[in-house]
């Protein structure tokens, strides 16, 4: 068995995380990008690397940027990104965030109340 490349391991980890966040199995992802389930498994474990066309397909199916998959950069902040973060918080934490947003809007002259 050939030694695993650190870059492939990092990319594979991010692919797995994005796949799990998208709630897809390895089988479904494999089917959507026309590869085998074994290839997805190998890719996620860093055993193999992916070609650029395969990375593009993965990004399209998982709705993530290539910057994230290749470089661990999240790209621009979107309402969806913020919403994802907020969905992980407790009600108490949401109240704190809401208060912070109100303070920020007031401080920047965008007060809505």
């Amino acid at each position: 068995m050939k030694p695993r490349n650190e870059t492939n391991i990092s990319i594979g980890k991010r692919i797995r995380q994005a796949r799990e966040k998208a709630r897809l199995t390895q089988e479904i992802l494999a089917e959507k990008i026309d590869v085998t389930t074994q290839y997805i498994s190998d890719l996620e474990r860093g055993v193999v690397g992916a070609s650029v066309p395969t990375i593009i397909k993965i990004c399209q199916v998982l709705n993530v940027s290539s910057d994230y998959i290749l470089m661990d950069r999240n790209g621009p902040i979107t309402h969806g990104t913020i919403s994802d973060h907020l969905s992980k918080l407790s009600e108490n934490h949401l109240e704190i965030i809401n208060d912070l947003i109100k303070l920020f809007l007031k401080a920047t002259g965008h007060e809505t109340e």
Side-chain angles (χ1 to χ4, degrees):
M1 184 168 158
K2 94 183 192 188
R4 298 185 312 159
N5 173 303
E6 288 301 316
T7 300
N8 289 347
I9 292 169
S10 297
I11 290 170
K13 178 181 174 185
R14 289 189 291 275
I15 290 171
R16 179 182 49 78
Q17 290 170 338
R19 176 183 58 76
E20 289 174 348
K21 185 174 182 181
R23 297 187 172 144
L24 297 179
T25 63
Q26 287 183 340
E27 293 81 10
I28 292 171
L29 177 58
E31 183 179 303
K32 288 182 177 282
I33 67 168
D34 198 29
V35 297
T36 66
T37 303
Q38 183 62 53
Y39 177 76
I40 296 296
S41 174
D42 290 347
L43 190 59
E44 289 183 357
R45 291 182 292 119
V47 175
V48 298
S51 66
V52 171
T54 300
I55 294 288
I56 291 169
K57 288 179 190 177
I58 288 169
C59 290
Q60 289 170 335
V61 169
L62 299 179
N63 196 30
V64 295
S65 73
S66 58
D67 277 354
Y68 169 69
I69 294 296
L70 297 174
M71 307 284 289
D72 197 16
R73 294 182 188 148
N74 289 326
I77 303 278
T78 65
H79 289 96
T81 305
I82 294 169
S83 179
D84 286 346
H85 293 308
L86 292 174
S87 71
K88 298 172 187 167
L89 299 178
S90 70
E91 190 170 325
N92 284 344
H93 289 134
L94 286 173
E95 288 176 17
I96 293 168
I97 294 296
N98 190 50
D99 290 343
L100 288 171
I101 290 170
K102 287 178 183 178
L103 287 171
F104 177 80
L105 291 173
K106 185 176 182 178
T108 58
H110 295 93
E111 192 170 7
T112 59
E113 293 181 27

